[in-house]
Structure formats: C-alpha cells, structure tokens
Amino acid sequence: MAHQVTLIPGDGIGPELAEATRRVLDASGVAFDWEVQDAGEAVMARYGTPLPEHVLESIRRNKVAIKGPITTPVGTGFRSVNVTLRQTLGLYANLRPARSIQGLETRYENVDLVIVRENTEDLYAGIEHRVGPDAAESIKIITRAASERIARFAFEYAVANGRRKVTAVHKANIMKLSDGLFLESCATVAKDYESRIEFEDRIVDNMCMQLVQKPELYDVMVLPNLYGDIVSDLCAGLVGGLGVAPGANIGVDGAVFEPVHGSAPKYAGQNKANPTAMILSGVLMLRHLGEQAAAERVEDATRAVIADGTTVTYDLGGSAGTSEFADGIIDRLG
Ligand code: NAD
C-alpha cells in the first residue's frame, strides 16, 4: 500500500528541491501517494496566513509530511511557519543527524553525531515582556514532563539505531533549577537504559569546545531547545554545512521532515541549489515509515554521487543543476 504523505514545496529554492526529492523517493521502490500542499509566501495573499488550516489538516490526517524551506516574512507580525507547525502539531523532538560524507572536504573524516533537541519549551516558549522602557525579560520554561519525554526519545533512538551513548548537555552549574531539572530528568530516564546505553552529561560551553576538537568522543546528544538549536548548527558545520544537513520534527501524532537550510531566495528558480539536505530528510522519513532498506539505498546512492563528484552542485565544487544531481542519484538506484 502506498504511503500517504503531505508534500509542502515551500518558498524560494523549495519547489526545485521538493521536485528532486520526490523523484528520488519515487525511484526508491517505495510507493508514495503525495498530497501536495502550498504554504509560505505564495499563499499569504490568498489565505491571509502562510500556513492555512487545510495544510495543518492534511498533516494531521497523513501524520507524515516533508517540506521545503519557507521564507519567514519579516515585520508582518506572522509567526514563523516552522514554529507554528511544531507547536500546533506537538512536534516535541527535533532530530538532526550529522555524519561525514566522503568527498566533502571538512575538518574531520569520521563525524557521526545525532542531536536530539527539545522543541517545545525553554527560552523558545516565547514568553517575554518589557520591564519598563530599558529592560526586557524572557522566561525559560523547563518541565520534568517535557525533559523526560525528550530524554526517552533520545534513548529509544539510541537503542533502535544501535548507538552506544547519550550525552545530556546543559548549564546546570549556573541555571541550577531549570537546567538542573533537565539534567535530573535525563538521569532518571537513563536508569531505564543502564544496561544498554551509556549516559553522561556535559556543560554546554565545554561541549562546544570538545565537539570542535574531538567530535569522535560523542554519539547521541540530548539538549534543551536553545542549546539544541545552536549545537546542531555547529554539528552541521562539522560535516559540510547547510546544503547537506537533514532534519526531522517528530511528535506523538505526526512528523515533519525538512532540510535545515532556508529558502535561499537568490537561487530560486535557477536549478542551482543542492538537494542533498532535503533528500537526506527524505531518508529520515523512509526510516520513520519503516522502509529501512529503501532508506539505506537512497542514502548510499546520495553519498556515492557526492563521493564521485561529477554530478554535484556548485556548493560541492561541481557544475550540475539540482535536477541533474537528482538524476545521478536515481541512476545509481537502478
Ligand atoms: P539560507 O539557508 O536560505 O541561506 C544561507 C546561505 O546558504 C545562502 O548563501 C544560500 O544561498 C546558501 N544555501 C542554503 N541552502 C542551500 C542549498 N540547498 N544549496 C546551495 N546553497 C544553499 O538562510 P537565510 O538567507 O538566512 O534565510 C532565507 C530565508 O529562509 C529567510 O526568510 C528565513 O527565514 C528562511 N528560513 C527558513 C527555514 C525553514 O523553513 N526551515 C530555515 C532557515 C531559514
């Protein structure tokens, strides 16, 4: 039976990347029934919002979506579509794997990290206010329920994917109550996995330095929202940057897969942008759908095309277009 999936092409380079990704996923041998839904700049004028209710309905119904980047309009008062999606659909876990790709020149050759970021609270809960004309206050929310839930997600991911260790990242030496509760929650959950998965913790500043110097020491990391946002970009930088960094937002009732990068408006419509990040987000989606064999094949084919280097985009040192890059992957899928 075909998997029913909501496909949101998005803005800027999004439609070209979405088309490339759809063609590669269709060539994987897995049957998809794509429900294409527009969101972002293109629908603002028609619906008065970049994320109309029928798009949310489609994701709720299908429970799985893959989306291209969406431009966040500046100064219109609309909240970011991405933040709205996460909060409305309860997508509490942001998963960002960072694995070295042969053929991409980076500082290290064998980086294999997985960031699990709590997606719903912390300073990103958006509770802030001015205190008189010259001061402002943002409130950092950390709850035991959300912290234990994200820790469990990290340990379950580690077990399901044959990983060896989970590192909790925090600043509990300074924020003893909030980050202290996050760390305590992770340690509580870790006890349930004691015999299978190693557990340790690191203070976030030290963690950043160690990731830059010795990334091979780490495996799965679990972080509150703000540190997770920052450290996951650091890890993307270790393996080649935005063009190759996939992501997933996962909740109890649904999951949205998306590249980490933005809509790169200056390259829109030019068949220039690198589709790797969105295709690898598609690989995460295949795994989520239980299509492990197809996921391996698409990931291997993508990596092989990059290692070969003849049909890659400008940012990877080649001169191929987005669609030729996808063709190269499809050829290898046979
Ligand atoms: P960006 O990621 O669009 O671009 C940053 C740089 O990386 C640019 O030089 C761009 O050309 C390059 N780049 C990005 N993706 C690429 C790809 N696939 N292939 C080749 N080069 C690529 O970031 P930005 O310029 O800060 O943001 C542009 C818009 O995207 C903004 O409106 C922002 O709000 C939005 N945005 C959306 C998302 C999302 O939907 N998840 C994420 C980040 C930014």
Side-chain angles (χ1 to χ4, degrees):
M1 219 173 70
H3 295 285
Q4 190 110 19
V5 171
T6 302
L7 173 66
I8 303 173
D11 295 319
I13 55 175
E16 302 152 58
L17 303 183
E19 177 58 15
T21 302
R22 190 187 57 73
R23 289 202 295 120
V24 168
L25 293 178
D26 280 339
S28 73
V30 172
F32 287 100
D33 189 353
W34 302 105
E35 196 173 303
V36 178
Q37 295 285 350
D38 289 325
E41 277 185 323
V43 302
M44 282 268 290
R46 205 156 15 123
Y47 296 99
T49 165
L51 185 62
E53 187 53 36
H54 62 263
V55 179
L56 286 167
E57 265 313 305
S58 166
I59 305 175
R60 283 198 191 98
R61 199 171 48 246
N62 295 328
K63 300 196 186 308
V64 181
I66 184 161
K67 70 176 270 294
I70 287 179
T71 301
T72 301
V74 178
T76 61
F78 284 113
R79 291 176 72 201
S80 143
V81 167
N82 301 308
V83 173
T84 311
L85 270 176
R86 285 171 201 161
Q87 294 193 344
T88 316
L89 300 173
L91 306 174
Y92 69 88
N94 182 222
L95 181 68
R96 298 254 311 250
R99 194 172 143 218
S100 299
I101 299 179
Q102 199 200 331
L104 274 192
E105 235 178 81
T106 52
R107 271 169 212 278
Y108 300 99
E109 278 175 7
N110 292 312
V111 175
D112 187 3
L113 299 162
V114 177
I115 301 280
V116 175
R117 163 186 167 194
E118 205 289 322
N119 234 355
T120 65
E121 55 179 30
D122 193 4
L123 279 162
Y124 286 20
I127 306 171
E128 52 178 9
H129 52 259
R130 290 289 282 263
V131 184
D134 301 318
E137 211 169 54
S138 290
I139 297 177
K140 178 175 165 105
I141 308 278
I142 299 285
T143 65
R144 190 183 302 282
S147 303
E148 288 193 359
R149 182 172 64 172
I150 197 68
R152 200 162 293 284
F153 181 97
F155 278 97
E156 284 297 320
Y157 180 92
V159 170
N161 292 277
R163 315 291 300 211
R164 68 193 156 84
K165 180 167 80 171
V166 171
T167 305
V169 184
H170 61 88
K171 189 80 185 173
N173 54 329
I174 304 293
M175 280 167 278
K176 295 179 194 296
L177 297 186
S178 52
D179 279 13
L181 179 57
F182 180 80
L183 177 57
E184 183 190 317
S185 305
C186 292
T188 303
V189 171
K191 290 206 182 81
D192 293 343
Y193 297 85
E194 225 163 24
S195 57
R196 292 172 287 169
I197 306 287
E198 193 187 327
F199 174 67
E200 64 178 12
D201 72 278
R202 290 284 180 278
I203 293 172
V204 63
D205 39 355
N206 178 32
M207 184 81 227
C208 289
M209 187 192 69
Q210 296 217 16
L211 281 171
V212 169
Q213 290 193 320
K214 300 176 256 185
E216 70 282 0
L217 293 185
Y218 297 95
D219 188 353
V220 177
M221 287 168 275
V222 60
L223 307 89
N225 209 338
L226 172 63
Y227 311 143
D229 193 7
I230 298 165
V231 175
S232 54
D233 267 27
L234 188 158
C235 292
L238 287 174
V239 296
L242 287 180
V244 297
N249 296 290
I250 299 175
V252 180
D253 287 324
V256 177
F257 298 83
E258 61 177 342
V260 167
H261 60 72
S263 54
K266 68 178 176 204
Y267 293 132
Q270 295 176 33
N271 190 34
K272 256 191 109 167
N274 183 352
T276 303
M278 191 158 176
I279 290 170
L280 292 181
S281 302
V283 168
L284 295 178
M285 184 177 82
L286 284 169
R287 292 214 172 92
H288 178 81
L289 292 168
E291 301 285 1
Q292 308 300 340
E296 298 298 316
R297 287 177 61 234
V298 173
E299 184 165 14
D300 289 351
T302 307
R303 287 172 167 270
V305 167
I306 295 173
D308 174 67
T310 45
T311 52
V312 297
T313 41
Y314 79 96
D315 58 313
L316 302 187
S319 58
T322 310
S323 54
E324 290 73 40
F325 200 145
D327 291 340
I329 297 170
I330 292 165
D331 284 349
R332 282 186 190 255
L333 284 170

